[in-house]
Amino acid sequence: LITGCAVVPMFPFYDESTRRYTIRFLPALEAFPGPDSKADLARVNAVMEQHIRAAPEQYWWIHRRFKTRPEGEEGFYA
């Protein structure tokens, strides 16, 4: 809001066969931000959720907190 910059969703994907990353950019969000910050947040979360659900294995690697658990505790996603 302060800078007037476009918000461009970007998602990295790792290809194990080539051992390379591909970056996918979506079109900039239209009319963003809007007058309702909660609606803006819901919109960003919806975009992220859509891409995470399409390839959840691509999401977890970036968040170390999901990879390890304290000794003796069950994993979140096991």
Side-chain angles (χ1 to χ4, degrees):
L1 182 63
I2 292 171
T3 64
C5 292
V7 175
V8 179
M10 182 272 304
F11 300 94
F13 288 86
Y14 181 70
D15 182 340
E16 288 189 34
S17 66
T18 63
R19 299 180 64 155
R20 292 180 176 249
Y21 290 94
T22 300
I23 306 298
R24 296 181 184 166
F25 292 91
L26 299 181
L29 299 178
E30 302 254 346
F32 190 89
D36 182 349
S37 61
K38 288 184 181 179
D40 289 340
L41 180 57
R43 188 172 167 199
V44 168
N45 285 344
V47 170
M48 290 181 63
E49 182 177 356
Q50 177 184 12
H51 288 275
I52 291 166
R53 286 185 184 276
E57 73 283 359
Q58 294 291 320
Y59 177 72
W60 305 125
W61 68 265
I62 200 166
H63 293 283
R64 181 153 178 82
R65 69 177 176 234
F66 298 126
K67 286 185 175 183
T68 59
R69 298 288 297 147
E71 190 172 326
E73 288 192 24
E74 188 176 326
F76 283 117
Y77 309 102

